[in-house]
Structure formats: C-alpha cells, structure tokens
Amino acid sequence: MFASLKSIGAYVPSKTLTNKELEKIVDTSDEWIRQRTGIQNRHIAEKDETTSDMAYKAAEVAIQRSGIKKEQIDAIICATITPDFFCMPSTACVVADKLGIKNSTAFDISAACSGFVYALSIAKAFIESGMKKNVLIIGAEKLSAIVDYTDRTTCVLFGDGAGAAVISADDDKKRSILDVHTSSDGAYQDFLITPGGGAKHPCSTDVIEKNMQFLKMKGNETFKLAVNTLTKDVREILKKNSLTSDDIDFFIPHQANFRIIDAVGKKLKFPHEKIVLTVAKYGNTSAASIPMAINDWYEKGKLKNGDLMLLDTFGGGLTWGSALVNFNQS
Ligand code: ACO
C-alpha cells in the first residue's frame, strides 16, 4: 500500500500588514524589505483568532476536497511552533474537537518551517505500515504571537496562516508520495530560537522584561546555510529516486526569502515557471508555508492531477527536508 496526497486546503486571515504599514512600526522601508526578502505583504490573525482556528478552517477545506468523511480520519498531525497552549493540550486535539472527530490519534510536532514535510513523512510511514488509512496533516502558525514588533530584523519576515492535506492509502505508486527525506543539526539550535517560556527559562518577569518570549534569528548565518542545505537536499532526493529537475513539474520550496528561493532555483536549474512563489503576499508562515503554497497553485488552476511536486524546506532546529509528491486530488 502507498500513501497518496488526496487533497489540499488552506486558510489565510483577512487582515494584512504591508511593508508601508511596517515603516510606521519600525525603522525599515518598503524598498529594503522587497530587495532583501521579496516580501510585500503578510496576513495577520485577529487577536482572538488562534492557531487551531486557522488550522480548523484549512482542514475543513482539505477534508471536503478529499471526498472522505471526517469519521474516516484516523490520525491528525499538526505541525506548529505556535500552539494554542504551552505544553498541552496539543493543537491537533483542539482541532479534532472543532472538527467533531473523536477517537483518532492526534498530536503536534515541532520542526519549525520543516514541520509540514516532517508531518508528511509520519503520515507516509503510518499508512505504508498499515497502521492508519487516512491522515490529516496540518501546518498552522500564528507567528504574530511570537514576533517582536520592535525588532526590525525579524518582524518584517513573518505572517500567519494554515494549510492542510489529507493523506490516504492508495494502491497505485504513480499516485503516491514517492519519497520524503527529513534531517536536522541541533548544533545550530541558536540560529532560530525563542529562548524564554520553556523549561530552561520558565515564564517570569525577567523573561518578559528581556523579551525572551519572542523569536530571535541569526538571519545572515541562517541564509547561507539555507541555500546550501536546500540545494544539497534536492540533489540527494532526486539522485536517490533516479530523477532529474526535468522530471519535476513544480518546485515548491519553503517561502522564507525570495533571494534564497532564487539562488536555490538557479543552482538546481529550475525554470521560473516551475517555481511556486507565494513569499511576496504571505511572507514566511513557517510550517504553513508549503501547504499554503500548494493550495495557492491548486486554486490558481496550475496544479493538475499527476503533476510531480518537489517540496524543499529548511527551518529552526535546524531542521530541513524534501519530498517527491504526486498531486492526486480526489
Ligand atoms: N529594515 C532595514 N534594515 C534592516 C532590516 C530591516 N527590516 N533588518 C536588518 N536591517 C539592516 C541590518 O541592521 C544591517 O545593517 P548594518 O549593515 O548597518 O549592520 C543590514 O540591514 C544588513 O543586515 P543582514 O542581516 O546582513 O541582511 P540580510 O541581507 O542577511 O537579510 C534576512 C536579512 C532577510 C533576515 C536574511 O538574512 C534571511 O532571509 N535569512 C534567512 C531566513 C530564513 O531562511 N529562516 C529560516 C526559516 S524561519 C523558521 O524556521 C521559523
């Protein structure tokens, strides 16, 4: 039995935050942000809108498009670094309740921007081992909750949103997720970090006063590692599966920075029309970035059944991963 991506869905909050608006918040400029990142806009959740609210809305779309009934879902995996609650309950359990799904396996995973690809690998293993038949995977983030809007080096980069997919058992390899690769190197743990609020530095007045609850990033160092790692990862997964860039219909990289995507695309010789780009309008939405990009392409009518997608991601941990996925909407 093979694991197949049966549907995609996404949710984007309606409120926007443009570069021009950011100019009024921190010492930055529309020109700097566009030139250095390619970002023009990002969407920001309402104050009372949670990660699980966005995840639920994306999941509803994915389930409806999959043609399966909610009761048939036997596992829910939510990839997020901005869960509704610290420690517990998991966002996946909250989403299961909102969807009215009972008795399914439900848990969160934390792999930052690589979360969706990590979730895909778990769903594939669940299905191919025969343990599960229909797995709902979600990447959802309310990054605005952990972004420091006084820090110009990070606040211009991130946005909120959610994407979801239903992965189901299928007997045809041509319709399946061909391969998923995931990896990490914890030696670079301080490149992307929220230092406060965890067991190492539990929430305290000191943590709050030092802004340790917010995301910090060594942007320049991360940039260089990202380009090389993303490129190497793609070369390895293509070689392992005896494929070349020509066999790929769409390259769907993590949407962190246009310059990173452009550099990787050039090294891998992907023509522009094969590279899916949403970074300009959504910014970096971490674990939600790849499923939101797939959904964008699908809703634009560019993604057709049988298209072979190459996913490629990189994020905090550091974590990274890639996947070869046949699009197979029911
Ligand atoms: N507006 C204006 N100037 C700025 C801004 C800003 N928003 N931010 C930084 N600058 C300034 C810096 O202070 C610095 O000034 P200085 O030269 O006077 O010291 C100058 O711009 C250059 O700063 P760099 O950090 O070298 O800029 P760089 O070109 O590297 O761009 C960026 C920064 C956009 C963050 C880039 O490094 C990047 O995209 N990094 C990778 C991000 C990434 O891939 N993250 C992984 C996934 S995220 C996750 O897992 C949650």
Side-chain angles (χ1 to χ4, degrees):
M1 194 50 74
F2 302 100
S4 173
L5 187 143
K6 291 286 176 193
S7 66
I8 191 76
Y11 170 77
V12 186
S14 52
K15 198 165 86 182
T16 57
L17 179 60
T18 63
N19 294 351
K20 283 277 170 207
E21 286 167 311
L22 277 163
E23 284 180 357
K24 295 179 199 145
I25 301 173
V26 284
D27 179 16
T28 191
S29 67
D30 175 46
E31 192 193 357
W32 190 96
I33 304 171
R34 279 175 194 256
Q35 275 181 5
R36 297 290 178 123
T37 72
I39 300 169
Q40 299 171 22
N41 182 50
R42 61 286 299 135
H43 289 253
I44 304 293
E46 296 294 337
K47 262 211 165 91
D48 60 353
E49 189 172 34
T50 62
T51 298
S52 69
D53 290 333
M54 294 187 280
Y56 159 71
K57 286 178 181 159
E60 280 273 28
V61 177
I63 295 169
Q64 188 261 321
R65 287 176 180 166
S66 74
I68 65 158
K69 296 194 179 86
K70 284 180 186 172
E71 310 81 80
Q72 293 174 274
I73 290 171
D74 43 16
I76 302 173
I77 307 169
C78 184
T80 185
I81 50 166
T82 48
D84 284 10
F85 301 103
F86 177 55
C87 300
M88 60 191 158
S90 71
T91 307
C93 280
V94 179
V95 173
D97 182 52
K98 286 181 179 167
L99 288 167
I101 295 175
K102 293 210 185 293
N103 303 319
S104 87
T105 299
F107 59 94
D108 288 358
I109 58 164
S110 168
C113 304
S114 310
F116 187 78
V117 171
Y118 268 60
L120 197 66
S121 74
I122 300 168
K124 184 176 187 310
F126 266 162
I127 288 168
E128 289 179 358
S129 66
M131 279 178 75
K132 307 286 179 192
K133 287 201 167 56
N134 298 293
V135 183
L136 171 66
I137 62 171
I138 305 168
E141 302 285 11
K142 186 175 180 176
L143 293 169
S144 58
I146 60 161
V147 162
D148 179 355
Y149 285 98
T150 64
D151 174 10
R152 70 174 183 174
T153 67
T154 53
C155 75
V156 302
L157 304 173
F158 299 100
D160 300 334
V166 173
I167 314 296
S168 298
D170 196 308
D171 55 12
D172 187 349
K173 192 175 180 195
K174 281 194 230 101
R175 293 195 295 248
S176 75
I177 298 164
L178 297 181
D179 200 4
V180 188
H181 174 246
T182 54
S183 195
S184 69
D185 190 345
Y188 299 107
Q189 58 192 271
D190 63 337
F191 275 32
L192 278 144
I193 189 165
T194 44
K200 183 160 180 170
H201 299 290
C203 194
S204 67
T205 317
D206 190 47
V207 162
I208 304 286
E209 277 171 4
K210 290 180 179 155
N211 278 344
M212 289 167 70
Q213 74 277 26
F214 292 127
L215 177 157
K216 323 269 177 210
M217 179 168 71
K218 292 186 178 174
N220 206 270
E221 292 89 330
T222 307
F223 187 102
K224 285 176 202 150
L225 264 183
V227 172
N228 292 334
T229 309
L230 286 163
T231 309
K232 187 167 169 273
D233 209 36
V234 163
R235 286 194 175 128
E236 281 171 7
I237 200 167
L238 287 176
K239 190 169 175 216
K240 187 175 155 218
N241 290 277
S242 305
L243 296 169
T244 70
S245 308
D246 294 341
D247 299 307
I248 303 302
D249 294 298
F250 291 109
F251 177 51
I252 311 186
H254 172 48
Q255 308 284 316
N257 184 321
F258 173 74
R259 287 192 296 136
I260 296 178
I261 298 171
D262 192 46
V264 174
K266 280 184 180 138
K267 278 174 184 250
L268 296 167
K269 298 192 170 48
F270 279 116
H272 282 302
E273 59 277 13
K274 281 193 177 183
I275 304 177
V276 175
L277 283 171
T278 55
V279 65
K281 57 182 185 178
Y282 300 145
N284 181 348
T285 58
S286 187
S289 149
I290 284 186
M292 284 170 77
I294 300 173
N295 184 69
D296 211 71
W297 235 234
Y298 171 70
E299 290 190 351
K300 281 195 169 105
K302 296 190 182 187
L303 200 53
K304 303 272 181 328
N305 275 2
D307 281 346
L308 181 58
M309 305 182 286
L310 171 58
L311 316 183
D312 194 18
T313 190
F314 183 87
L318 292 176
T319 56
W320 60 91
S322 53
L324 288 162
V325 181
N326 281 300
F327 189 70
N328 181 32
Q329 181 107 313
S330 298

